Amino acid sequence: MKKKISEDELSQLIKQLHLGEVDAVSRSSTNEGDIRSPLKQDGWIQVIEHRIIVHDPVNNGKLPVISAIAPVKLKVNHHDIHSEINVTSSDSILWEIENQPMYEITVSEDKLHAYFHLHAKERYAWQLTDTEPLAKIILSAEEDRNMVLESVHLTDVAAVLEKKSIKANVDLAAIHQELLQPTYSPILIARGKAPVPGKDAELEIYFSEEIESRFHETEGTVDFRNHLQIPSVTSGDVIARKSPIIDGIPGYDVYGNLITPKAPADILLVAKSGVELTPQGAIIARKEGRPRITGTKIKVFDISTAYTVSGDVDIETGNIVFSGDVIVYGNVTDNMIIESLGNVYVIGSAFNATITATGCIHIRGNVMGSKLYSGYFGVMFNRLYNTSKLLSKQIEKLLIGSQVLEQAIQSRDQTVKYGQIVLLLLEKKMKDIPGLIKDLLSVVANIRHLKKEEYQKLMEMAAVFLKPSQLIESATRNGVQSFLSLLTDAHQEVA
């Protein structure tokens, strides 16, 4: 049984009917002996009153084409359609609006901040846009501002926050303000507290961990003999200090969960005999010798009481000054010096050398043209002899240099404090003097119990050179000359 044509379909056919084509077909039929030729018609689609109407093609006409643009989502025969598609009147054609969320609540990656981002305060109904009958249409829709489907309220947002368990320092007032006067930008609504990181333990070492060679220039020439620097300490010296770990402070995220900071790394210390580790973290030498530190995960402190030279003591090794025993398996060659606060053992011979020790000196081979000083007194006074000699020469140069500067300033009819001249020379031209002063003070401090009164004045005058402000105010030419006289006397007395 044939399906009855509807009135709407008939009206559309009439609209598409061209009388010129009908006349042509009639004439053609008449001329060809009443042979009938049916009219070919393409299909079409129309949106009327928000309804989609599909008219099928006639006599092999083309199928109509439909597609949609956002936010309209098209479904044909229950399949989502993302491009153009041919349809017939028998197809199921449905549409819906792909709504975006009215707002979003996001949490930062570190979970320390939560944000509220309002996209729309109200959601409206959507209606399809009417079209003319067309072989190809694109579905579009528009909001019906007279029909509100949904609104965003503070209680709604608060409920979502509770559902998401966001509860740390929630700022409901900020959300309310955004709803009243939207900025449509993300706003901070909850804030956690970042943990405060702890501090790892630190180890500060006050001695060089390696034997070094340092060449110094003296009076314009390089001293190739006194270049060996052997780390050594005496009893009571603080050789290192450990700073303890500092624990961090926990924080919390926007969910109220505790955030524990990373545990600080500690340094494990072991003190061998001769080394004391105090509760305050100080590592103190309890005997004389060479301080050593070994280990990686566990730091072990030790004091070596002997320094060994596998071959000769010569220019290549340099002079040896050590606070413990010195063992030489070779010879002590021409003009080399060994100073030890322990014993000195030479397996070979000593040629034109100077060896001093607070303990014993043992030489298995021959001793030729050498000077041997045994006992603490000998070592200290040997150092005083050498230091006072070097410092005397530098102070003589200082006096000459200061006199030249004074004359130059007077020729300009200008004045300056003598101490200012001395300080300038120490900083610019005679940089060795402060180091020699320190050596002198160290030596005298160790022997002043033997001659306290004789060296007290020498120490007081020497100390002024290490105090710039006092030097500027108190230094005079006569004072520097007096200091030189004391140095000369000390040197001659030891000699």
Side-chain angles (χ1 to χ4, degrees):
M1 183 175 178
K2 293 184 179 180
K3 181 180 178 182
K4 185 177 179 180
I5 190 170
S6 67
E7 183 177 348
D8 289 338
E9 292 175 327
L10 182 59
S11 297
Q12 292 300 324
L13 284 176
I14 292 173
K15 285 183 180 180
Q16 294 181 2
L17 182 63
H18 296 282
L19 295 178
E21 292 179 358
V22 174
D23 291 341
V25 171
S26 299
R27 288 193 297 271
S28 176
S29 299
T30 304
N31 294 336
E32 295 179 8
D34 294 331
I35 300 175
R36 296 182 180 180
S37 177
L39 180 64
K40 179 180 179 181
Q41 293 181 351
D42 293 337
W44 49 266
I45 304 175
Q46 184 178 14
V47 177
I48 300 177
E49 296 180 356
H50 322 302
R51 294 184 299 112
I52 301 173
I53 299 173
V54 180
H55 190 276
D56 293 327
V58 177
N59 297 328
N60 296 321
K62 295 180 180 179
L63 291 171
V65 177
I66 191 171
S67 61
I69 59 172
V72 178
K73 187 175 180 180
L74 180 63
K75 285 189 175 184
V76 175
N77 298 325
H78 310 292
H79 295 290
D80 292 335
I81 304 301
H82 303 288
S83 59
E84 295 180 346
I85 187 174
N86 297 114
V87 293
T88 67
S89 59
S90 61
D91 291 327
S92 170
I93 302 176
L94 301 175
W95 67 278
E96 61 184 25
I97 296 298
E98 194 169 16
N99 287 310
Q100 298 297 320
M102 300 178 71
Y103 64 89
E104 291 179 294
I105 296 175
T106 56
V107 177
S108 61
E109 187 175 351
D110 59 10
K111 300 180 182 179
L112 291 177
H113 302 90
Y115 299 91
F116 172 71
H117 190 181
L118 180 66
H119 299 300
K121 287 180 61 178
E122 297 175 329
R123 176 169 289 162
Y124 302 97
W126 290 79
Q127 294 180 342
L128 287 179
T129 305
D130 289 349
T131 68
E132 293 293 326
L134 298 170
K136 178 189 295 186
I137 69 168
I138 300 174
L139 293 182
S140 62
E142 55 189 11
E143 289 181 317
D144 184 355
R145 293 278 174 169
N146 296 319
M147 188 179 296
V148 178
L149 300 179
E150 188 179 359
S151 298
V152 180
H153 300 284
L154 179 60
T155 53
D156 301 328
V157 181
V160 173
L161 289 174
E162 185 176 358
K163 185 178 179 181
K164 289 178 175 287
S165 298
I166 297 174
K167 53 189 176 183
N169 302 320
V170 175
D171 190 352
L172 294 177
I175 302 173
H176 182 62
Q177 180 64 28
E178 178 67 13
L179 294 176
L180 289 178
Q181 297 179 338
T183 63
Y184 300 108
S185 298
I187 61 169
L188 182 64
I189 59 168
R191 186 195 306 270
K193 184 179 180 181
V196 178
K199 186 177 181 181
D200 295 343
E202 295 180 351
L203 185 62
E204 190 175 3
I205 299 173
Y206 301 142
F207 63 90
S208 175
E209 297 183 56
E210 296 181 357
I211 298 173
E212 300 178 352
S213 285
R214 298 178 185 175
F215 292 91
H216 301 277
E217 185 175 326
T218 304
E219 299 182 3
T221 60
V222 177
D223 186 352
F224 290 100
R225 299 181 185 277
N226 295 300
H227 64 84
L228 190 64
Q229 306 292 324
I230 304 172
S232 60
V233 294
T234 58
S235 179
D237 288 347
V238 178
I239 60 176
R241 188 178 299 276
K242 173 189 172 182
S243 300
I245 62 172
I246 299 177
D247 291 325
I249 302 174
Y252 54 86
D253 60 23
V254 294
Y255 303 106
N257 299 319
L258 189 68
I259 303 177
T260 304
K262 180 182 177 182
D266 200 1
I267 300 174
L268 299 179
L269 302 180
V270 173
K272 289 190 174 182
S273 60
V275 180
E276 177 188 358
L277 176 60
T278 70
Q280 293 75 31
I283 297 94
I284 303 174
R286 290 305 177 199
K287 64 181 180 180
E288 297 178 345
R290 175 187 170 190
R292 296 191 306 169
I293 179 173
T294 57
T296 53
K297 293 183 178 180
I298 300 177
K299 302 293 184 180
V300 180
F301 285 89
D302 188 16
I303 302 294
S304 174
T305 56
Y307 177 72
T308 302
V309 180
S310 59
D312 293 342
V313 175
D314 51 22
I315 290 181
E316 185 176 351
T317 62
N319 293 332
I320 296 174
V321 179
F322 186 59
S323 59
D325 293 346
V326 176
I327 304 172
V328 180
Y329 283 94
N331 301 316
V332 183
T333 60
D334 289 348
N335 300 317
M336 300 308 297
I337 297 173
I338 296 177
E339 290 186 6
S340 167
L341 294 183
N343 300 318
V344 175
Y345 303 91
V346 180
I347 308 303
S349 300
F351 304 104
N352 301 314
T354 300
I355 301 175
T356 61
T358 60
C360 300
I361 300 175
H362 301 267
I363 300 177
R364 182 176 295 181
N366 299 319
V367 178
M368 300 177 61
S370 298
K371 299 175 182 179
L372 309 182
Y373 302 92
S374 180
Y376 185 78
F377 186 88
V379 173
M380 289 296 102
F381 278 89
N382 180 60
R383 293 181 63 189
L384 177 60
Y385 175 83
N386 292 320
T387 304
S388 59
K389 181 180 179 181
L390 291 173
L391 189 54
S392 295
K393 291 182 179 180
Q394 293 295 315
I395 297 299
E396 288 176 357
K397 292 182 179 180
L398 177 66
L399 284 168
I400 295 172
S402 63
Q403 184 177 0
V404 172
L405 283 176
E406 277 185 313
Q407 293 173 353
I409 293 171
Q410 289 174 0
S411 66
R412 297 185 179 189
D413 198 21
Q414 294 175 326
T415 60
V416 68
K417 289 184 177 180
Y418 184 77
Q420 187 69 46
I421 294 176
V422 173
L423 182 62
L424 185 64
L425 287 171
L426 293 179
E427 292 177 348
K428 302 296 183 181
K429 291 292 185 181
M430 315 194 76
K431 299 179 181 180
D432 292 339
I433 288 180
L436 290 171
I437 292 285
K438 291 178 182 179
D439 290 342
L440 177 68
L441 291 173
S442 175
V443 173
V444 175
N446 284 290
I447 62 174
R448 65 179 176 177
H449 61 284
L450 301 174
K451 290 191 173 186
K452 183 175 182 180
E453 294 181 0
E454 289 86 338
Y455 296 121
Q456 184 63 34
K457 187 63 176 178
L458 179 64
M459 293 183 69
E460 291 175 358
M461 298 186 72
V464 174
F465 285 86
L466 302 179
K467 300 174 182 177
S469 58
Q470 186 176 346
L471 182 65
I472 293 175
E473 297 298 329
S474 63
T476 63
R477 172 171 290 277
N478 289 336
V480 176
Q481 288 176 336
S482 297
F483 178 58
L484 177 59
S485 297
L486 289 176
L487 280 175
T488 304
D489 292 344
H491 177 73
Q492 291 176 351
E493 180 183 5
V494 176

